[in-house]
Amino acid sequence: MTTLRISDVAGLLGVSDDTVRRWADAGKLPLVRDDSGRQAVEGAALARFSTELAASVDRPPAVDAAVVGESARNRFPGIVTRVVRDGVMAQVEIQAGPHRIVSLMSRESADELGLEPGVIAVASVKSTNVVMELPQQRR
């Protein structure tokens, strides 16, 4: 059984340790004791909670307004933090919660979309090649 410390849960969800504790106190996120006796969250419980949390978050109306259908299932609403343009290409960075997402696109596309720091945008990802990693667990 995978268990995660409160600080690890907070880092994964992009919130403070105190927020995780408040969710636990409210009965939204069950705590267990790890092998060392510290409060922790079971990985399966965190997976369920994070899915429910993501579904409950209201996305800005402007983000969803123009989309009437989509094939990409991985959508990351966020804020543009950096745009680097050259003659032909643009590199656009979005901060979506704790995730930094970088997109390379034509400069023309970035210009047409009006992408500049501070603009709310959605990074849609559709890929047949998604690499999974297992980080070493702390004890």
Side-chain angles (χ1 to χ4, degrees), residues 73-87:
R73 297 293 181 241
N74 304 300
R75 301 180 78 233
F76 300 92
I79 188 162
V80 176
T81 56
R82 185 170 182 238
V83 180
V84 178
R85 291 176 169 88
D86 69 10

Side-chain angles (χ1 to χ4, degrees), residues 6-7 9-20 23 53 98:
I6 288 177
S7 60
V9 171
L12 288 169
L13 297 178
V15 298
S16 70
D17 293 10
D18 288 338
T19 297
V20 173
W23 286 334
L53 181 64

Side-chain angles (χ1 to χ4, degrees), residues 78-108:
I79 188 162
V80 176
T81 56
R82 185 170 182 238
V83 180
V84 178
R85 291 176 169 88
D86 69 10
V88 177
M89 298 298 293
Q91 177 180 320
V92 180
E93 296 181 18
I94 291 179
Q95 192 67 38
H99 307 287
R100 174 180 164 255
I101 301 168
V102 180
S103 176
L104 300 176
M105 65 181 69
S106 70
R107 179 186 180 128
E108 181 181 5

Side-chain angles (χ1 to χ4, degrees), residues 5-75:
R5 294 178 179 178
I6 288 177
S7 60
D8 294 331
V9 171
L12 288 169
L13 297 178
V15 298
S16 70
D17 293 10
D18 288 338
T19 297
V20 173
R21 288 187 186 93
R22 279 193 293 276
W23 286 334
D25 290 345
K28 296 178 181 179
L29 187 60
L31 295 179
V32 297
R33 294 281 176 186
D34 66 11
D35 295 338
S36 300
R38 292 181 292 238
Q39 288 186 320
V41 178
E42 289 182 350
L46 178 59
R48 283 189 299 276
F49 178 76
S50 62
T51 301
E52 293 166 3
L53 181 64
S56 72
V57 174
D58 291 331
R59 296 193 294 195
V63 170
D64 288 328
V67 178
V68 295
E70 63 190 52
S71 64
R73 297 293 181 241
N74 304 300
R75 301 180 78 233

